[in-house]
Amino acid sequence: MTQIRLLLCKDCRTTEVLPAYQGDPRGDSVLEYAVAKHQYPNGERHFGRLYPIDGVDEDRWHSSAEIRDEILKRVWQQEGATGMEPWVYQAVDTLKADAMQCWRSRHRPETCSDFHSEKKLITPPTAGDRKAEGLPKWDKSNPTNQRYLCDYCPIRSVNEQKVRAKRGLYQ
């Protein structure tokens, strides 16, 4: 049974699963590879912690969402967070703030001509990585992948009500 370790990056607010390592820490190439990704553009490394997880191997970690979620919750609570990992909340808060700024810059309209327009489509900045891995471009036309800044704007509820009214859901 191969034990695991969790690498928490406090700056990125991410968690990575690493296999356990016995031996001289200077020879832990898996850890070095994982840590190398966590640095600022100036080369300064992020702050993080390494947690050994006893009694859980990689197979059990990947096959049991319940165990995985409980361990992540406990570890992040030790780091001062609750519920989901903090980066999730930070990302949503950033999107909400950006949407509010957009709405206010338009003088708080009751309708928006740019609602769910291509200009407001949120696309991941992974074009270079996808190309390097030989993957196709991110599919903007796939409705299951489409997320808009508008989804975090107060105007969304107004537009949802209009759609429901057209469908005859209000009587």
Side-chain angles (χ1 to χ4, degrees), residues 60-125:
R60 191 167 177 207
W61 176 265
H62 293 296
S63 65
S64 176
E66 185 177 300
I67 290 172
R68 183 175 55 247
D69 292 345
E70 180 59 35
I71 291 170
L72 287 172
K73 181 179 177 184
R74 192 173 20 143
V75 167
W76 280 105
Q77 280 177 340
Q78 282 181 302
E79 295 298 323
T82 58
M84 300 176 103
E85 292 182 17
W87 69 266
V88 174
Y89 298 110
Q90 290 171 344
V92 171
D93 288 345
T94 299
L95 290 167
K96 284 180 180 179
D98 290 349
M100 287 300 287
Q101 181 180 357
C102 176
W103 182 61
R104 286 183 185 128
S105 73
R106 295 167 180 266
H107 306 291
R108 301 176 181 211
E110 291 185 16
T111 61
C112 182
S113 60
D114 278 342
F115 187 79
H116 279 202
S117 70
E118 183 142 347
K119 290 192 302 188
K120 300 300 176 183
L121 183 63
I122 299 171
T123 57

